[in-house]
Amino acid sequence: MTSAEQKEFDQFMQGLKKRNPHETEFQQAVHEVALSVMPWYLQHDEFRKAQILERVTEPDRIITFRVTWMTDEGEIRANRAWRVQFNNSLGPYKGGLRFHPSVTQSVLKFLGFEQIFKNSLTGLPMGGAKGGSNFNPKDKSQNEVMRFCQSMMIELHRHIGEDIDVPAGDIGVGGREISYLFGQYMRLENRWSGVLTGKGLSFGGSAVRKEATGWGCVYFCESMLQQHNESIEGKKVAVSGSGNVALYAAQKLIHKGAKVVTLSDSKGFIHIKDGLTEEQWEEIRTLKEKQRGRLSEFKGSGIEYHKGERPWSIACDIAMPCATQNELEEAGAKTLVKNGVIAVCEGANMPTTFQAISTFREHGVLHAPGKASNAGGVAVSGLEQSQNAMRISWSPEEVDQRLRDIMKNIHRRCVEEGTTENGRVDYIDGSNIGGFKKVAEAMLAYGAV
Ligand code: NDP
Ligand code: 2IT
C-alpha cells in the first residue's frame, strides 16, 4: 500500500469503528476486506464517489427479537435472536443461522459481511445475510430445541421467503434444527417453499449439502496445492473442530490419501499419530452426529486426548481450522510455521486472527480464507434453491460435480485477482477483490439505493 492508500484506509477504519463501537469481530472482518480492496477502490473514482465501501459495510437491516420458550420443567426462558440482512445486490439474502452462547450482534454482522463476498464468489445469485441466537442447544433436550425453533420461527417467518431471504445451518444448527424451523414455517404460512436450505433429503433437501462445506474445502485445498506444484496425497493435516464442516473435510481428506492427525471440540483435541482410519472416522461421526457426545469419550488405538488445548502444536503440512472464529492465534501460527506447515485452508469463518495471518504471510505459507475455501456449503445451498424452484432433485454425482466446478471457479478467481510478482497467489487479496468487485458493480448500477 502507498502512504496515500494507507491514509485513506486508516480514515475509513476510523469512521467504521466510530459507527460500530465495541463490535470487534465485525471490525476485524471489515479490516481484512478493506485492506485488500483499497488500492483498486481508490483507482476507480466512480466507486469511491458512490461511497460503495461505506455503504457495503452498513447492513440493509438488522432484525432483533426476543425468543421466549418453555423448558421441560415448565419454566419460561428468553433468548435474544437476530437476522442481519446485509446486502441483496446479487440475489435474495442467503446465509446460515448460528445457535451458540457466544452469539452477539457483532459476530452475526461479521458473518453476514463475509457472506456477501463468499456468495458473490460462488457465481450464484445470492445476497449476504446471517442470523442466530445466543441459545445454547448443547444442554437442552430434543423437545426444548424444538420449542425454541418453533418460537423463533414465529417472528422470523415474517422476514424470510424463497425470493427474500433463505436461512440455513451454521454452528449449533444442523438437520434437526432446520427441520423444526421448516415445519413451523409451513404451519404459519400454509405453503411449501424452499425458504430454508439444508432440509432433509425426503423433503426438498439437496444431495451432498451436508458434506458440501468440508468436501468443498478439500477440493479448494487441492487446487491451491496444485497451483503451487504440490499435492494433497500423503500430507499430514491438522483439522480442528468435529462438527459438520470438520467431519466431512476429514472424510474427503482420507479419501484423497491425506493423513488426518487431529480433530477437536471446545474441550480439547485428539492426536491421531498414524492418521485417522475410515473406521475411526465412522465411529466419531456416530458419536458426534447421533449421540451428540464429546471427543473425550472416544477411545481408539493410537489416539491421545489433550484436554483444554488446541491442535496447532502437532506437526503437520496443512492446517485446516474448521471450528470457529479466531481459534488460530499468533502463537499457534508460529508453532505451525516452526513445524513446517505449507498451507492453511479455512473451513471455518475467520478462524485466523490478523496477527496469525501476518505470520503466515511473512513465511510464505499458502493461506485460503474461509470466504473462498468454505464456500462449498452455501454453493450447494444455492443449488438446493434451484432444485426446489424447478421441483426436481439432482443425483449426488451431479451435485458433487457442480460443487467441484464451483470450487475450481472460485480458485480461478483468486488466481486472477491475487497472483503476486513472484507467481504465488495471495488468496486473501484474491478472494476479497474477486468477491467485492461484482457486488460493487451491481451497487453502482442501482444508483442511490
Ligand atoms: P458445528 O456446530 O457442526 O460444529 C462446530 C464445531 O466447532 C464443534 O466441534 C464445536 O465443538 C467447535 N466449536 C464451536 N465453538 C467453539 C469454540 N468457541 N471454541 C472451540 N471449539 C468450538 O458447526 P459447523 O461445523 O457447521 O461450523 C464450523 C465452522 O464452519 C463455523 O465457523 C461456521 O461458521 C463455518 N461454516 C459452516 C458451514 C456449514 O454449512 N455448516 C458453511 C461454511 C462455514 P463443541 O461440539 O464442543 O461445541
Ligand atoms: O457460513 C456459511 O457459509 C454457512 N453457514 C452456510 C450458509 C448457507 O446458506 O448454506
Side-chain angles (χ1 to χ4, degrees), residues 380-391:
V380 174
S381 277
L383 300 180
E384 183 171 327
Q385 290 178 266
S386 306
Q387 292 169 79
N388 290 167
M390 293 189 283
R391 297 282 191 262

Side-chain angles (χ1 to χ4, degrees), residues 259-273:
K259 272 189 174 178
V260 176
V261 290
T262 65
L263 284 173
S264 73
D265 61 23
S266 52
K267 305 286 183 210
F269 79 91
I270 53 169
H271 179 199
I272 315 117
K273 288 201 181 73

